[in-house]
């Protein structure tokens, strides 16, 4: 009942012209930033933060949060149309969506992404509304050992996110893990493989790698093929295409599952949308009745990924609003926004300044509606990109990714990383090594290493810590079953076979 | 064909425009800031010194919203709204490379009197940790503004009520008590090092990639015994009754935690806090440093600044350029020694 009253209060506040305008501005800016490669929601919020220094704290929070989920919406567009993952969490969208675009189904893929984003976003805000205090308590039960096993679970996704030969996927995954060791060692702070360059001190800039290996490599391949027009059967009519009933039906279960995974993992500090999207994709692929279609344009894959990364935003707001602790880099900047207004974020935010959390929550419901309307409208224009002559389009992709890479840290070094990995990605494509596991390894490697080191520090070097803690034990059992699953299935089938004999 | 050309052309324009907007936004924000402070009507106080004749940039080594950024913005805001300088001051963020990006940027502007930068613990630690070919001596200290004190906090239901409880537990065995902290070698491990030296215990150090916020989560989840943090990082948790402060590392008790005794009161002769100051590039004329040091002194008298100190639990600790330089010379070897012992502390 309290929740309803507070939410009504939030809506009352947000449903005024000035608030709606700020939500609209935030979501619109987020959509563009998300669609453009490089500059992610974190950087976008950071850029706009000083502008809101003078405005009312609720107003600025509403707008800055709008950028956050708006960017998740927008991340899918360039992934689908141009194979440029605008966000790290949209890498898997690129994998399926670009294939669909090549088959002339770009519009359909984008509408699926829009609908999934809306579904994931809205359900997770609902979750945030009703379950924030509960979930934040549960999140605290996760210590380093639990995170370690969760990250190992995430690594198992390498087997699913690669298309084609498992050995090649493994090569790509290991390559990513090796890249992840560059930079400061997480426990001792020692510098590894930086060759004395401070540019590598924070590790290989991850977004530049993803853009290079996907987008630049694609451009190189296109040039090699002689810049043929985008696709033989580009839609003549630039009308909105909706997914068919059949496609919606098979997307239903991945979508709801993705929402759940995204929301829960988003609420765990330090996990975030990228891992959620990879896990959601893998799980959906595992259950799919047509796994052979995945990696070649499975529309339900988009549903799994886009629900997960959008639901993760609602999840990430849980620790921020209920504990006053940021769970991701984007929410850390949002927290900075609260501090900038002289507020003290903490567990008392809900009782001392209820207008802030409830205003933000209410604005997220409205913002998601605004985002899907804007997304569907904009998609009509975005798709026209594909009508450009390939010679122009590839140049645009090239330029936009270079600007994007530079804009991450305003550092020219990132452009070199982009170009180098463009060439690496080109050779990977030539020999059929999938790109996605590289990204996964690079994201997860440092996390696996950190949490493993932390666990051993906690236990004074004993591995038993992973079985002594109940949550970690349960996760460990799940992990072992998943890793041994192919073996179990194999022996099970053999048993059945010999019985039949 | 014509239509395709036009739509293509418009999209190129659009993308270029968006690119410009996005990359240009950082500067736009500052322009907005400087408009309101941009009053050139007030006469300069020292007519012989023609400074400043244009906007002064205050470079910050972190993203907007971080502690250092809020600190810099408060100073800029105080100067602009109270018109302490005839020209406005604008804040410029140069994050990345744990400070290295900013230091390189400022190094390249040697002699430029229109560049200020944040000078805090990072200036002493980052060059050592990241093997940078520079040190604090490559910059001109202008003033120390404040000290961000450090406090020792435990979970509210922890069995440790005083420092004595904590030290006694730590004496049972080396590494029996765990400190959760931020990045490897971060400043929160400095105070624990000093405590270790004074009491002869060895703490178990648990670093976090995600920084102090993650360490607080680990503490709240009961996976560590204590944290050492700036008051602003934990005050929300303390007010909500989730964490408890058991000691402050200052000479005198903190106004924000009047009931919490200092380390000294509890028999541990250790005081340590993180300084927040302002520095400039090398080779700036002494008159300009003197002028800015005076402006910054005036900042400390503004309400804006006092409110900032109160909100963030900082202690006013102004030092003019000469004394700030002496302070840095005195602190640098301490920081260096603590950093050098950090790895061996982990290995023990």
């Amino acid at each position: 009942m309290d929740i309803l009253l507070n939410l009504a209060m939030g809506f009352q506040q947000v449903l005024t012209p000035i608030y709606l305008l700020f939500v609209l501005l935030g979501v619109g800016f987020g959509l563009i930033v998300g669609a453009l490669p490089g500059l992610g929601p974190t950087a976008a919020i950071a850029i706009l933060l000083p502008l809101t220094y003078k405005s009312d704290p609720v107003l600025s929070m509403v707008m800055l949060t709008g950028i956050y989920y708006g960017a998740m919406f927008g991340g899918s567009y360039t992934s689908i149309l141009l194979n440029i993952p605008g966000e790290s969490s949209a890498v898997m969208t690129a994998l399926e969506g670009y294939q669909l675009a090549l088959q002339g189904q770009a519009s359909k893929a984008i509408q699926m992404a829009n609908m999934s984003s809306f579904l994931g976003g809205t359900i997770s805000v609902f979750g945030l509304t009703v379950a924030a205090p509960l979930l934040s308590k549960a999140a605290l039960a996760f210590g380093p050992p639990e995170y370690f096993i969760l990250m190992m679970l995430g690594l198992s996704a390498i087997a699913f996110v690669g298309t084609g030969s498992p050995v090649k996927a493994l090569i790509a995954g290991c390559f990513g893990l090796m890249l992840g060791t560059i930079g400061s060692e997480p426990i001792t702070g020692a510098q590894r493989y930086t060759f004395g360059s401070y540019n590598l001190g924070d590790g290989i800039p991850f977004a530049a790698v993803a853009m290079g290996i996907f987008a630049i490599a694609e451009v190189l391949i296109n040039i090699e093929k002689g810049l043929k027009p985008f696709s033989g059967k580009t839609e003549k009519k630039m009308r909105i295409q909706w997914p068919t009933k059949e496609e919606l039906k098979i997307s239903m279960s991945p979508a709801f599952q993705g929402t759940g995974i995204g929301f829960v993992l988003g609420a765990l500090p330090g996990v975030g949308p990228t891992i959620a999207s990879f896990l959601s994709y893998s799980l959906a692929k595992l259950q799919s009745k047509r796994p052979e279609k995945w990696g070649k344009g499975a529309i339900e894959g988009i549903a799994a990924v886009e629900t997960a990364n959008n639901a993760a935003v609602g999840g990430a707001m849980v620790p921020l609003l209920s504990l006053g602790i940021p769970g991701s880099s984007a929410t850390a900047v949002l927290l900075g926004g609260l501090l900038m207004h002289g507020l003290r974020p903490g567990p008392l935010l809900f009782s001392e300044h209820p207008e802030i959390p409830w205003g933000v929550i209410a604005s997220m419901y409205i913002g998601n509606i605004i985002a899907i309307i804007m997304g569907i409208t904009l998609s009509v224009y975005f798709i026209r990109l594909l009508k450009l002559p390939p010679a122009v389009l590839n140049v645009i992709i090239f330029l936009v990714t270079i600007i994007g890479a530079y804009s991450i840290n305003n550092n020219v070094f990132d452009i070199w990383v982009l170009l180098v990995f463009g060439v690496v990605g080109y050779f990977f494509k030539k020999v059929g090594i999938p790109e996605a596991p590289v990204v996964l390894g690079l994201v997860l490697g440092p996390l696996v290493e950190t949490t493993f080191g932390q666990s051993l520090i906690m236990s004074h070097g004993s591995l038993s810590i992973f079985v002594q803690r109940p949550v970690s034990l349960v996760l460990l059992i799940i992990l072992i079953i998943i890793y041994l699953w192919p073996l179990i299935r194999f022996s099970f089938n053999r048993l059945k076979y010999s019985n039949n004999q | 064909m014509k239509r395709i050309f036009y739509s293509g052309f418009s999209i190129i324009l659009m993308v270029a425009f968006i690119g410009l907007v996005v990359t240009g936004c950082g500067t736009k924000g500052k322009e907005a800031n400087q408009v309101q402070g941009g009053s050139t009507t007030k006469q300069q106080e020292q007519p012989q010194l023609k400074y400043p004749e244009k906007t002064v940039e205050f470079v910050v080594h972190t993203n907007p919203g971080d502690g250092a950024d809020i600190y810099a913005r408060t100073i800029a805001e105080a100067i602009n709204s109270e018109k302490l300088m005839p020209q406005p001051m604008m804040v410029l963020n140069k994050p990345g490379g744990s400070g290295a990006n900013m230091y390189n940027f400022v190094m390249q502007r040697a002699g430029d009197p229109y560049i200020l930068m944040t000078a805090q613990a990072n200036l002493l630690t980052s060059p050592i940790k990241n093997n940078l070919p520079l040190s604090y001596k490559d910059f001109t200290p202008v003033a120390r503004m404040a000290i961000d004190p450090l406090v020792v906090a435990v979970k509210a239901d922890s069995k440790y009520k005083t420092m004595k409880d904590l030290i006694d537990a730590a004496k049972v065995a080396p590494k029996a008590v765990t400190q959760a902290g931020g990045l490897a070698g971060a400043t929160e491990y400095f105070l624990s090092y000093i405590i270790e030296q004074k009491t002869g215990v060895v703490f178990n150090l648990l670093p976090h990639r995600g920084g102090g916020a993650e360490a607080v989560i680990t503490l709240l989840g009961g996976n560590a015994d204590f944290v050492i943090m700036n008051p602003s990082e934990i005050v929300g948790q303390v007010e909500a009754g989730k964490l408890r402060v058991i000691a402050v590392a200052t000479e005198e008790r903190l106004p924000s935690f009047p009931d919490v005794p200092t380390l000294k009161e509890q028999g541990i002769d250790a005081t340590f806090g993180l300084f927040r100051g302002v520095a400039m590039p090398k080779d700036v004329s002494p008159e300009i440093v003197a002028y800015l040091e005076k402006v910054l002194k005036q900042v400390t008298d503004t309400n804006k600044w006092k409110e900032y100190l109160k909100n963030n639990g900082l202690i006013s600790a102004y030092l003019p350029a000469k004394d700030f330089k002496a302070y840095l010379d005195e602190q640098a070897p301490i920081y260096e020694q603590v950093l050098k012992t950090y790895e061996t502390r982990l290995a023990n």
Side-chain angles (χ1 to χ4, degrees), chain A residues 91-413:
Chain A
V91 162
M92 299 317 290
T93 312
L95 199 72
E96 298 295 343
Y98 187 62
Q99 293 301 323
L100 282 168
L102 287 177
Q103 295 158 20
Q105 299 187 319
S107 176
K108 200 191 265 181
I110 288 187
Q111 300 323 331
M112 179 53 102
N114 274 330
M115 289 190 287
S116 309
S117 297
F118 177 75
L119 183 80
T122 305
I123 295 182
S124 81
V125 183
F126 181 72
L128 173 64
T129 316
V130 295
L134 207 70
L135 194 63
S136 65
K137 253 186 216 135
L140 287 181
F142 266 68
E146 288 78 20
Y147 278 115
F148 169 69
I149 296 172
L150 198 65
M151 299 304 160
M152 290 302 288
L153 209 62
L155 275 184
S156 71
I158 286 178
F160 300 101
V161 299
T163 44
S165 144
V167 175
K168 284 178 177 168
L170 210 57
I171 291 174
C174 289
F175 181 61
L177 286 174
M178 281 158 67
L179 290 177
T181 60
I182 296 172
S184 303
E185 201 270 339
I187 303 295
T188 63
Q191 303 277 313
R192 288 186 306 201
Y193 312 118
T194 60
F195 303 103
S197 160
Y198 76 88
N199 285 315
L200 288 170
D202 292 344
I204 287 251
F206 155 78
V209 172
M211 280 190 292
I213 219 163
F214 275 86
I216 299 287
E218 186 71 29
V219 169
L220 292 176
I221 293 273
N222 287 344
I223 292 171
E224 187 188 47
K225 283 183 186 159
L227 294 172
K228 286 202 199 90
F230 185 78
S231 114
K233 31 181 178 170
T234 318
E235 305 99 290
K236 283 213 179 71
K237 304 160 282 181
M238 282 298 166
R239 270 212 330 252
I240 297 177
Q241 281 184 344
W242 297 97
T244 62
K245 226 177 195 171
E246 188 58 31
E247 284 163 337
L248 283 178
K249 217 176 120 194
I250 51 171
S251 301
M252 226 24 124
S253 138
F256 281 103
Q257 190 175 285
T259 305
I261 292 174
F263 182 59
V264 172
L265 291 189
L268 293 176
V271 180
T274 308
I275 297 168
S277 66
F278 275 109
L279 274 179
S280 167
Y281 178 89
S282 311
L283 206 58
K285 188 179 178 183
L286 188 68
Q287 297 159 344
S288 174
K289 289 206 178 74
R290 45 170 212 181
E292 73 285 350
K293 191 99 174 54
W294 289 62
K296 297 183 189 99
I299 200 160
E300 64 270 33
I302 297 177
V305 176
E306 286 300 312
T307 47
N309 62 27
N310 280 275
V313 174
M317 297 302 283
V318 168
L320 179 72
L321 293 180
S322 61
L323 297 176
I325 295 172
S328 65
S329 50
T331 46
V333 187
L334 285 176
L335 182 90
L338 289 173
L339 289 172
M340 215 174 229
H341 285 103
L343 292 160
R344 293 174 172 181
L348 294 183
L349 192 67
F350 267 102
S351 50
E352 282 179 355
H353 297 281
E355 75 279 5
I356 294 175
W358 291 110
V360 168
I361 290 173
S363 81
M364 288 175 83
Y365 282 104
I366 296 165
N368 268 299
I369 297 172
I370 293 178
I372 190 173
I373 296 171
M374 281 175 103
I376 292 173
T377 325
L378 281 176
S379 70
V380 183
Y381 297 95
F382 274 128
I383 287 174
R384 296 208 174 145
L385 275 174
L386 298 185
K387 279 194 140 185
L388 286 173
V392 176
L393 187 61
N394 282 289
V395 172
I396 293 179
I397 297 175
F398 197 66
L399 289 180
V400 167
T401 42
I402 286 183
I403 295 175
Y406 178 74
S407 68
I408 304 166
N409 276 326
N410 293 344
N411 194 344
V412 182
F413 178 78

Side-chain angles (χ1 to χ4, degrees), chain B residues 15-272:
Chain B
V15 171
F17 171 74
I18 291 167
L20 276 179
V21 166
V22 168
T23 46
C25 258
T27 31
K28 256 192 193 164
K30 278 104 214 182
E31 275 159 24
N33 262 354
Q34 75 191 55
V35 168
Q36 49 82 234
S39 146
T40 44
T41 48
K42 205 183 170 189
Q43 285 302 306
Q44 289 180 4
E45 286 161 29
Q46 290 163 298
Q48 76 277 14
L49 180 72
K50 278 218 174 73
Y51 178 89
E53 290 179 304
K54 57 172 191 175
T55 306
V56 178
E57 287 184 324
F58 194 168
V59 199
V60 181
H61 69 285
T62 66
N63 269 316
D66 277 2
D69 176 72
I70 296 175
Y71 156 78
R73 276 175 208 284
T74 309
I75 293 177
E77 175 73 11
I79 289 177
N80 294 341
S81 60
E82 305 280 328
K83 300 197 172 42
L84 301 177
M85 283 199 311
Q87 292 282 338
M89 177 180 279
M90 95 183 199
V91 173
L92 181 68
N93 298 85
K94 281 271 168 193
S98 49
N101 272 354
M102 177 182 81
Y103 300 131
N104 278 333
F105 175 77
V106 177
M107 288 264 280
Q108 285 161 12
R109 306 281 286 265
D112 186 342
Y114 291 96
I115 294 280
L116 298 181
M117 69 170 209
T118 47
Q120 37 192 76
N122 182 277
L123 177 60
L124 299 181
T125 58
S126 180
I128 302 173
K129 274 201 288 191
N130 303 309
N131 292 323
L132 302 180
L134 55 88
S135 82
Y136 72 100
K137 288 183 178 147
D138 293 313
F139 303 95
T140 313
V142 180
R144 187 182 77 177
M145 298 296 285
I147 292 275
D148 205 344
L150 288 167
V151 302
V152 183
V154 296
K155 216 179 155 201
D157 56 12
S158 162
K159 55 182 188 274
Y160 309 122
K161 307 282 180 213
T162 62
M163 273 315 278
K164 189 174 171 300
D165 297 343
L166 194 76
I167 299 298
D168 284 348
K171 274 185 175 153
V172 173
K175 304 213 167 193
V177 171
T178 303
Q179 175 195 5
L183 289 172
T187 37
E188 45 265 42
Y189 306 111
F190 286 35
L191 178 60
S192 64
Y193 173 77
I194 299 173
I195 296 175
E196 282 182 358
Q197 296 298 306
K198 301 281 178 191
T199 58
V201 300
V202 177
F203 293 123
N204 196 22
L205 306 184
L206 186 57
H208 290 72
R209 272 172 70 88
E214 266 183 26
V216 171
I217 295 173
T218 301
L219 183 68
L220 286 172
N223 293 313
D225 296 302
F226 73 102
V227 292
I228 291 175
M229 296 269 156
N230 297 127
S232 57
E233 293 177 282
I234 52 151
V235 70
Q237 307 296 331
V238 175
E239 282 174 352
K242 304 279 181 199
L243 294 184
R244 184 154 44 79
V245 178
I246 59 169
V248 296
T250 40
E251 290 287 341
E252 280 157 32
R253 290 190 183 195
L254 289 177
S256 39
F257 305 109
D259 303 327
V260 179
T262 62
L263 283 173
K264 272 192 174 167
E265 282 178 64
Q266 303 190 52
I268 301 167
D269 187 16
T271 56
F272 190 73

Side-chain angles (χ1 to χ4, degrees), chain A residues 149 153 474-485 488:
Chain A
I149 296 172
L153 209 62
V474 172
L475 284 171
L476 189 65
I477 292 169
I478 297 174
L479 178 77
I480 291 171
I481 292 175
I482 287 185
Y483 271 74
L484 295 182
W485 183 246
I488 297 171

